[in-house]
Amino acid sequence: MTRKFPIFKSSFLFSYLIIILLQLLYSVVDGRLLSLSKPQPNDAAAYARWLVSQNSWGVLKNVVSFSDGPPGKGAGVPYFYLTTLDPTAANALKDQRSSLTVSEYPIGTCGKTDPENPTCAKITLTGKLKLVDVDSKEAEFARSALFAKHPEMKDWPESHNFQVFKLEIEDIFLINWFGGPKPLTVNQYLHWKMHKMGISL
Amino acid sequence: MTRKFPIFKSSFLFSYLIIILLQLLYSVVDGRLLSLSKPQPNDAAAYARWLVSQNSWGVLKNVVSFSDGPPGKGAGVPYFYLTTLDPTAANALKDQRSSLTVSEYPIGTCGKTDPENPTCAKITLTGKLKLVDVDSKEAEFARSALFAKHPEMKDWPESHNFQVFKLEIEDIFLINWFGGPKPLTVNQYLHWKMHKMGISL
């Protein structure tokens, strides 16, 4: 009996250490995800959200800057800071139908893979480009989202009357692997929880 | 008189040296242009051609790779290597109207300037996306243009039936400075001589 307790104690200690080691390992993997990894191609919602949050510009009729939230707080909805001196915003006020296209290539995670190769992802969000009410809570969030990723916007000339727009997403076209576009609903995209991945953007 | 000749000779020598120095300076500037400089914003045709030749991908409904020629031999017309398995090519065969949008930002010459800032250039070439006859001289040029900038294309699966397309440009929208889009005709764009700039791309 005098022996059994130490054995029990040491195996208990051993299991405990294994658990701690596993937790450490997990947090290391988790830590790596924080800065390097991209989601698995079969997790379409995660991939789409990562692609949008990592990029800060795309094509919306013209080349525009956008932000879906302050770093680490991306909500998936792209916000824009546009002036009606530019045709993109001027046209949007007449016909809201728009699509935003973003490539994985400029993020730098495609390596030497060609931008057109399906494993170098691309996403097109189609919907309506809408003016956000300047006094709303949403405009406040959008401005903090935009200014965090585009610091010079704060100093853009007041006389140009820059206003916050958002893309109300109606359809998503994502290619991030062989085999054609990934089925991905707007709902799946918008309600995918970024923190599940442990990704801080 | 014995003095005048040496004076004449030395001033002649001086002018000659100045000319040689200027030529040297020019070739140095020229040399620098080869790898670093971008054209002056007020030279719209040069800027547009530089922007298209320096980039190897853009947005044509989706993110696609393109090439306007082998490095240093860009002719301004973007060629594509597309499969009808992808909606871009499939749609083009039904409705040729297309536009290719390209940003200066990924070239790296915008520095810390925001991608939406008008001094970070963007160009949209609008026109018709046309299939290039596979046996034509043009298809031969297009393939060498594409494969030079996108080496992996050579190995893309034959079963996918990649074909050469080109954008027949009808209209150009270029922003490369404050003050709105630059007036630039298709003719000015196509007949601008790259070698005038001494730019080897």
Side-chain angles (χ1 to χ4, degrees):
Chain A
M1 287 290 278
T2 45
R3 262 195 193 159
K4 270 185 186 164
F5 268 102
I7 289 165
F8 170 74
K9 267 186 185 166
S10 66
S11 68
F12 175 79
L13 193 68
F14 187 66
S15 315
Y16 187 71
L17 278 172
I18 289 289
I19 288 166
I20 286 186
L21 273 168
L22 279 173
Q23 282 181 332
L24 272 173
L25 192 68
Y26 183 77
S27 75
V28 169
V29 173
D30 206 30
R32 197 170 56 83
L33 279 173
L34 286 174
S35 56
L36 291 176
S37 290
K38 54 184 184 185
Q40 290 298 310
N42 55 7
D43 191 349
Y47 209 112
R49 289 289 297 272
W50 171 83
L51 202 54
V52 169
S53 272
Q54 285 283 4
N55 263 297
S56 66
W57 64 277
V59 174
L60 179 96
K61 297 174 185 173
N62 191 7
V63 175
V64 291
S65 294
F66 74 89
S67 174
D68 75 332
K73 289 174 186 160
V77 178
Y79 292 100
F80 309 89
Y81 205 46
L82 305 171
T83 161
T84 48
L85 294 174
D86 185 88
T88 308
N91 292 339
L93 296 177
K94 291 181 217 147
D95 180 358
Q96 300 183 320
R97 290 172 301 164
S98 292
S99 65
L100 172 71
T101 300
V102 164
S103 167
E104 184 183 337
Y105 200 75
I107 301 176
T109 42
C110 292
K112 289 185 177 180
T113 303
D114 194 83
E116 192 173 309
N117 189 302
T119 67
C120 185
K122 53 267 310 174
I123 192 168
T124 298
L125 305 172
T126 306
K128 292 199 178 76
L129 189 65
K130 291 193 168 172
L131 189 63
V132 179
D133 177 13
V134 66
D135 294 319
S136 62
K137 279 272 172 207
E138 187 175 15
E140 214 172 281
F141 173 81
R143 279 188 296 266
S144 69
L146 286 161
F147 298 167
K149 290 187 181 171
H150 305 278
E152 73 170 64
M153 283 183 175
K154 284 193 300 286
D155 305 317
W156 282 357
E158 267 189 49
S159 62
H160 285 198
N161 189 27
F162 281 92
Q163 292 174 290
V164 173
F165 287 78
K166 72 165 168 180
L167 186 67
E168 226 173 68
I169 307 169
E170 293 172 350
D171 191 61
I172 300 174
F173 176 87
L174 170 72
I175 290 190
N176 69 346
W177 202 251
F178 305 104
K182 283 283 194 317
L184 177 61
T185 67
V186 178
N187 207 37
Q188 285 169 332
Y189 171 85
L190 288 178
H191 298 115
W192 175 80
K193 294 275 184 287
M194 210 64 172
H195 61 78
K196 269 193 192 165
M197 287 294 302
I199 294 178
S200 166
L201 298 173
Chain B
M1 285 293 276
T2 45
R3 260 194 192 157
K4 269 182 185 165
F5 266 102
I7 288 166
F8 170 74
K9 266 184 186 166
S10 67
S11 69
F12 175 80
L13 193 70
F14 186 67
S15 313
Y16 188 71
L17 277 172
I18 289 289
I19 288 166
I20 288 188
L21 272 169
L22 278 173
Q23 282 181 332
L24 272 172
L25 192 69
Y26 182 78
S27 75
V28 170
V29 172
D30 206 29
R32 196 170 58 84
L33 279 173
L34 285 173
S35 56
L36 291 177
S37 290
K38 53 185 185 186
Q40 291 298 310
N42 55 7
D43 191 349
Y47 210 112
R49 289 289 296 273
W50 171 83
L51 202 54
V52 169
S53 272
Q54 286 283 4
N55 263 297
S56 67
W57 63 278
V59 174
L60 181 96
K61 296 172 185 172
N62 192 6
V63 176
V64 292
S65 293
F66 74 89
S67 174
D68 75 333
K73 289 172 186 159
V77 178
Y79 293 100
F80 308 89
Y81 205 46
L82 306 171
T83 160
T84 49
L85 294 174
D86 183 89
T88 308
N91 291 338
L93 296 177
K94 289 180 218 149
D95 179 358
Q96 299 182 319
R97 290 172 300 163
S98 291
S99 66
L100 172 70
T101 299
V102 164
S103 167
E104 183 183 339
Y105 200 76
I107 300 176
T109 42
C110 292
K112 289 187 175 177
T113 304
D114 194 84
E116 192 173 309
N117 189 303
T119 67
C120 184
K122 52 267 309 176
I123 193 168
T124 298
L125 306 172
T126 306
K128 292 201 178 74
L129 190 66
K130 292 193 168 172
L131 190 63
V132 179
D133 176 15
V134 67
D135 294 319
S136 62
K137 279 273 172 206
E138 186 175 15
E140 215 172 281
F141 173 80
R143 278 188 297 265
S144 69
L146 286 160
F147 297 168
K149 292 188 180 171
H150 304 278
E152 73 170 65
M153 282 181 175
K154 284 193 300 285
D155 305 317
W156 283 357
E158 266 187 50
S159 63
H160 286 198
N161 190 28
F162 281 91
Q163 291 172 292
V164 173
F165 287 77
K166 72 166 168 178
L167 185 67
E168 226 173 67
I169 307 169
E170 293 173 348
D171 191 61
I172 300 174
F173 176 88
L174 169 71
I175 290 191
N176 69 345
W177 202 252
F178 304 104
K182 282 284 195 313
L184 178 60
T185 67
V186 177
N187 207 37
Q188 285 169 330
Y189 171 86
L190 288 177
H191 298 115
W192 176 79
K193 294 276 183 288
M194 208 64 172
H195 61 78
K196 269 195 192 164
M197 286 294 302
I199 294 177
S200 167
L201 300 171

